[in-house]
Amino acid sequence: MRSSTRSVTALTAALVLAVPFATASADVDGSGGPPATQAEQSRGNSYHLSDSTSRHTAHVLTYGRPGDDTLVGDWDGDGVDTLAVRRGSTYHFTNSFRGGDADVVVTYGRPDDVVLVGDWDGDGVDTLAVRRGKTYHVKDSLDGGPADRVLTFGRAQDEVLVGDWNGDGTDSLAVRRGADYHVSDSLRSGPADRVVRYGRADDEVYVGDFTGSGRDALAVRRGAAYHLLHELRSGPADRRVMFGRPGDAALVGDWDGDGTDSLGVRRTSEVGSAPEPQVPEVPDVEFDQPLAIPPLADSTVDDEGTRVFQLTAQEGTSSFLPGVETETWGFDGDFLGPTLRAERGERVAVEFTNTLEESTSVHWHGMHLPPEMDGGPHQEVPAGGSWRPTWLVDQPAATLWYHPHPHGRTEKHVYMGLSGLFLIDDEESAASGLPDEYGVDDIPLVVQDKAFTEDGQLTLASAVPSGVMGERIMVNGTVGAVQEVTSERVRLRILNGSTLRSYNFGFSDDRSFQLVATDGGLLTGPHETTRIQLSPGERAEIVVEMAPGEETMLRSYPQHLGDITDPEGYGALDTLDVLRLVAAPELTASAEVPGTLADGERLDEADATVERTFVMKNMRLNGQLMDMARVDEVVTVDTTEIWVVRNEDRMPHNWHIHDVQFEVLSVDGEAPPPELRGRKDTIYTEPGREYRLIMRFEHYTSTEYPYMYHCHLLRHEDFGLMGQFVVVEPGTEVPDTLPVDDHGH
Ligand code: C2O
Ligand code: CU
């Protein structure tokens, strides 16, 4: 799949030497380069390489010495680009990112030659060429012998580029004159094969295969913005990405061997200072708006001991952007809803009123409860109507949430702002010693992305058919949010409340944190990590430690969405700032996170009596679209089942089941990663992989009211990527069609 070619390296000496270099903690070798001065040794030369499709978002390393030029290439033909440094006419090549000594050292050409890197003979290994005026001396192997070929191309004063312009597996030359690129499809003397015009005459230009097509194209850089072409042609850019800082020296390479080139920067910094991460995609937000904390919902306890909440869906306006009123919907307010909170063992009731001009519903996402209380499409509440679901809270402590689920309109209702959290407490969570002072050291974060029209209204217009990828990130409705941290440890309860976008959360200084809970509650013990990826509807609770006076940014990093056809369209490459955390000069003490959090009782695969398979393919679920009147699956109460889920589309889907929390038995036959070992109700399903889930159905039965399972990418759900199951007593006859009352439509 991968192009055997390279991208850019030393396009011109000026470009490679755009920043001063400095020393490395990992010296390349002892052979011959100029020794570093003391002053130079006090500074480090670090490389920050983005890795667009890997879960490991970046290589950060130091390499080489002051004065070295940096080259990028695949020196050993393994499909991965690595670094080399040049000192005069000596080249030090590494074949991995492990640091340490060079793997190969060769001498070639003269110290003042301009050097080029390319796979000139198509063998998958990059080698060197040196340029003297318009003459190119080309080597086909990485050794110090004489040139294998000599050719002339262009004019002596032209800037030259190297790339595989036609996808034939060999690199050839192009020369640049202003904004015109004279491209030769084969490495030979003679005139160019074609001319393309791109960018401006004063742009810095880079070469890379940014789509994995096997053909190289151009990118121009303006500050930290890169305007990428997906194929070599005249015309406007296909994509714009932000990366690094304006003063960085840029590198292009395939750092992970996936066949797609991505960006890297080289930067000089003080030795030992923390690597500076990528800048966010939307750099014009200050992150000085105090984070809104959803209020805890009031409740009363009635004579029977039921905790009663009231909730009203209503229209309102919010000011997300300075000076602009945006029409929004909320529960008990203009946007989002209050946090409901109850103890395991309590009976709750919610008196819900719909003051919208259309029907809606309130679904209790993640809750184990009777199907007629579930708030799915069978419990729509008409405009002006009300509904009073009641149930016994009987499941472990967890961060659940609630949102509308009207048939075919869930995306719009959630997007307009109808969502809130529902926290369950129990003895285990109380005993855990985890931070639990709501809004102080236990902070809910409803993370959403929004797109706005020019006049500042929310819009569902989208570039990808699956829904909106908003360019504004908000937390609890606050854009550019900052939260003061007043304790040594803070617990963040993160909900991906977006309709389509997944996030790969981490911190700007790459500090680690403890993952303590997933959708359905506490993990058996904390999992220390630097990233947690959440698809729409998923939750994670993390505990972050802070030192007095420091600050860090909760950020979403590039992420792995699997083998999808349009990773950039689905935000896999995005870096987005989410929430700035600023620690007070003095912090109150917090208990350490205990090694054991929950009892760890697991469902036993041997108890499973039924296995069902669900395939999402061509935007159908097992070949069908949702039908409110059709029962897709009949489950017997008090049984354990295995559901095997596969996404056979090359787009993102995830998978959510109502009523139960499931456990992940395996992903493609392998034990799940730590973040998928806890109780889950929603899971991202990478294309082509098989997810085996185990769950137990208990307590509630009905032949009339089903529960749902579906993709939680809400436009997909609305489209019909959803099915229904009923849970019944053993031996119950289930009618073929369900009563569907269509009030409200
Ligand atoms: Cu959060 Cu069926 O949905
Ligand atoms: Cu989907």
Side-chain angles (χ1 to χ4, degrees):
M1 234 324 253
R2 149 192 167 76
S3 109
S4 63
T5 74
R6 208 41 326 99
S7 39
V8 80
T9 54
L11 305 184
T12 66
L15 197 130
V16 164
L17 291 168
V19 294
F21 286 124
T23 172
S25 49
D27 191 3
V28 180
D29 69 352
S31 70
T37 66
Q38 280 263 279
E40 286 165 337
Q41 274 176 352
S42 74
R43 303 201 303 160
N45 187 28
S46 61
Y47 294 87
H48 305 258
L49 309 177
S50 128
D51 197 350
S52 57
T53 58
S54 159
R55 208 175 275 271
H56 306 284
T57 47
H59 297 285
V60 177
L61 67 148
T62 57
Y63 185 59
R65 289 188 191 166
D68 289 342
D69 291 356
T70 304
L71 308 179
V72 175
D74 179 2
W75 317 114
D76 58 358
D78 67 352
V80 176
D81 285 329
T82 50
L83 303 177
V85 295
R86 171 189 187 179
R87 294 172 197 156
S89 51
T90 305
Y91 297 83
H92 304 256
F93 299 95
T94 53
N95 286 329
S96 67
F97 294 110
R98 60 170 163 64
D101 290 346
D103 293 301
V104 180
V105 180
V106 300
T107 300
Y108 184 61
R110 306 178 197 144
D112 58 345
D113 285 334
V114 172
V115 69
L116 305 173
V117 174
D119 179 3
W120 316 112
D121 58 358
D123 66 354
V125 176
D126 286 320
T127 53
L128 304 178
V130 296
R131 172 188 187 180
R132 293 169 195 159
K134 58 183 182 172
T135 306
Y136 297 83
H137 301 255
V138 177
K139 288 284 303 171
D140 284 329
S141 57
L142 273 187
D143 60 44
D148 294 301
R149 284 174 273 170
V150 179
L151 59 113
T152 59
F153 186 62
R155 304 180 194 143
Q157 67 275 21
D158 288 334
E159 187 181 324
V160 66
L161 306 174
V162 176
D164 180 0
W165 315 113
N166 61 350
D168 67 353
T170 66
D171 285 325
S172 49
L173 303 176
V175 293
R176 175 188 187 181
R177 292 170 195 158
D180 286 339
Y181 297 84
H182 299 253
V183 177
S184 177
D185 281 326
S186 58
L187 191 69
R188 51 163 175 74
S189 301
D193 293 307
R194 54 205 159 111
V195 180
V196 301
R197 171 164 294 190
Y198 185 57
R200 305 178 196 142
D202 59 347
D203 285 330
E204 275 178 34
V205 68
Y206 297 84
V207 177
D209 175 3
F210 303 106
T211 59
S213 67
R215 285 188 177 84
D216 284 321
L218 302 176
V220 295
R221 174 188 184 179
R222 293 168 195 161
Y226 296 80
H227 302 257
L228 311 182
L229 275 181
H230 288 171
E231 58 181 308
L232 190 65
R233 53 158 178 76
S234 303
D238 291 305
R239 181 155 55 111
R240 174 176 174 272
V241 299
M242 301 293 296
F243 188 72
R245 302 190 207 127
D248 291 332
L251 305 167
V252 177
D254 180 1
W255 318 112
D256 59 357
D258 68 350
T260 304
D261 286 320
S262 44
L263 297 170
V265 294
R266 187 189 47 212
R267 175 178 297 168
T268 303
S269 61
E270 296 307 308
V271 165
S273 68
E276 285 292 329
Q278 297 159 236
V279 300
E281 303 277 328
V282 183
D284 58 333
V285 176
E286 292 298 339
F287 288 83
D288 55 3
Q289 297 299 309
L291 175 70
I293 303 288
L296 284 171
D298 282 337
S299 59
T300 53
V301 178
D302 71 12
D303 295 347
E304 276 102 63
T306 300
R307 182 171 296 283
V308 183
F309 297 92
Q310 269 151 1
L311 213 54
T312 300
Q314 59 193 64
E315 294 178 4
T317 59
S318 303
S319 40
F320 300 123
L321 309 175
V324 184
E325 290 290 282
T326 303
E327 286 173 24
T328 52
W329 294 356
F331 290 108
D332 292 2
D334 291 308
F335 187 71
L336 298 178
T339 298
L340 277 55
R341 190 157 200 173
E343 293 271 339
R344 181 174 194 169
E346 272 188 311
R347 174 162 281 278
V348 295
V350 182
E351 293 175 348
F352 172 68
T353 309
N354 177 14
T355 69
L356 302 175
E357 282 172 12
E358 60 184 89
S359 70
T360 190
S361 79
V362 201
H363 164 58
W364 316 100
H365 180 125
M367 195 76 74
H368 173 51
L369 78 183
E372 64 274 22
M373 306 298 170
D374 190 42
H378 294 267
Q379 286 88 38
E380 280 186 34
V381 181
S386 57
W387 180 55
R388 189 182 188 275
T390 177
W391 70 94
L392 178 70
V393 173
D394 188 16
Q395 67 192 88
T399 302
L400 309 184
W401 65 300
Y402 60 93
H403 64 80
H405 213 302
H407 187 57
R409 289 169 297 129
T410 296
E411 181 194 25
K412 173 186 166 194
H413 286 219
V414 171
Y415 191 71
M416 287 299 287
L418 293 171
S419 295
L421 293 173
F422 197 131
L423 308 185
I424 299 178
D425 299 309
D426 69 3
E427 284 168 13
E428 211 166 42
S429 70
S432 70
L434 292 174
D436 66 353
E437 205 179 328
Y438 183 82
V440 178
D441 63 5
D442 180 356
I443 299 174
L445 304 179
V446 179
V447 180
Q448 299 176 305
D449 61 332
K450 301 287 177 200
F452 293 89
T453 59
E454 257 162 44
D455 58 349
Q457 300 307 309
L458 296 176
T459 175
L460 283 164
S462 63
V464 287
S466 296
V468 174
M469 298 295 294
E471 72 284 355
R472 295 281 170 176
I473 303 300
M474 54 179 69
V475 185
N476 304 339
T478 308
V479 176
V482 61
Q483 171 69 29
E484 187 182 38
V485 171
T486 56
S487 53
E488 292 167 350
R489 289 185 178 80
V490 63
R491 176 189 198 168
L492 304 176
R493 301 183 187 244
I494 309 173
L495 161 67
N496 180 349
S498 286
T499 54
L500 172 63
R501 187 185 280 282
S502 288
Y503 300 88
N504 185 22
F505 293 106
F507 290 93
S508 53
D509 48 11
D510 259 331
R511 70 182 56 210
S512 62
F513 53 84
Q514 312 273 345
L515 176 70
V516 295
T518 54
D519 303 337
L522 295 172
L523 300 177
T524 56
H527 165 56
E528 184 167 340
T529 183
T530 57
R531 295 285 186 274
I532 180 70
Q533 193 168 321
L534 298 180
S535 68
E538 288 186 285
R539 286 88 65 207
E541 296 180 32
I542 67 174
V543 175
V544 194
E545 223 177 301
M546 291 195 73
E550 72 174 351
E551 73 169 77
T552 189
M553 183 71 83
L554 178 67
R555 179 170 283 175
S556 178
Y557 283 91
Q559 58 192 306
H560 186 69
L561 294 175
D563 186 20
I564 60 175
T565 48
D566 184 13
E568 55 269 41
Y570 289 99
L573 313 181
D574 291 352
T575 300
L576 300 161
D577 281 351
V578 176
L579 169 69
R580 190 158 67 101
L581 293 177
V582 179
E586 277 170 48
L587 300 177
T588 60
S590 314
E592 274 188 40
V593 176
T596 304
L597 293 164
D599 71 6
E601 205 190 305
R602 305 286 295 177
L603 293 170
D604 189 348
E605 196 168 352
D607 292 338
T609 48
V610 177
E611 180 168 320
R612 303 175 201 264
T613 300
F614 299 91
V615 175
M616 292 179 274
K617 188 181 169 123
N618 298 326
M619 284 295 292
R620 301 286 188 283
L621 178 42
N622 287 350
Q624 291 184 302
L625 291 176
M626 166 77 171
D627 180 344
M628 295 260 301
R630 185 182 69 229
V631 174
D632 295 290
E633 307 290 339
V634 178
V635 170
T636 303
V637 73
D638 291 326
T639 61
T640 300
E641 296 201 357
I642 291 171
W643 288 19
V644 179
V645 183
R646 285 202 309 271
N647 168 8
E648 292 184 2
D649 282 329
R650 288 196 57 204
M651 70 174 107
H653 291 308
N654 71 2
W655 184 256
H656 169 53
I657 313 177
H658 289 209
D659 182 46
V660 293
Q661 292 288 333
F662 54 78
E663 293 164 19
V664 183
L665 288 172
S666 63
V667 179
D668 273 354
E670 309 254 318
E675 67 273 16
L676 296 182
R677 290 194 193 145
R679 291 156 55 84
K680 296 282 295 168
D681 55 52
T682 308
I683 185 172
Y684 184 69
T685 51
E686 276 180 37
R689 308 196 79 180
E690 182 170 286
Y691 296 80
R692 281 176 73 81
L693 315 176
I694 188 168
M695 68 217 75
R696 187 164 175 83
F697 297 89
E698 290 177 315
H699 303 120
Y700 309 116
T701 58
S702 172
T703 53
E704 214 178 324
Y705 292 102
Y707 297 103
M708 309 295 124
Y709 48 85
H710 56 89
C711 174
H712 216 289
L713 277 48
L714 297 182
R715 195 170 293 181
H716 292 182
E717 172 185 338
D718 286 342
F719 181 79
L721 208 58
M722 176 152 67
Q724 317 194 94
F725 68 101
V726 291
V727 180
V728 300
E729 297 292 343
T732 307
E733 283 287 324
V734 177
D736 287 340
T737 54
L738 293 167
V740 176
D741 81 50
D742 58 356
H743 63 212
H745 288 281

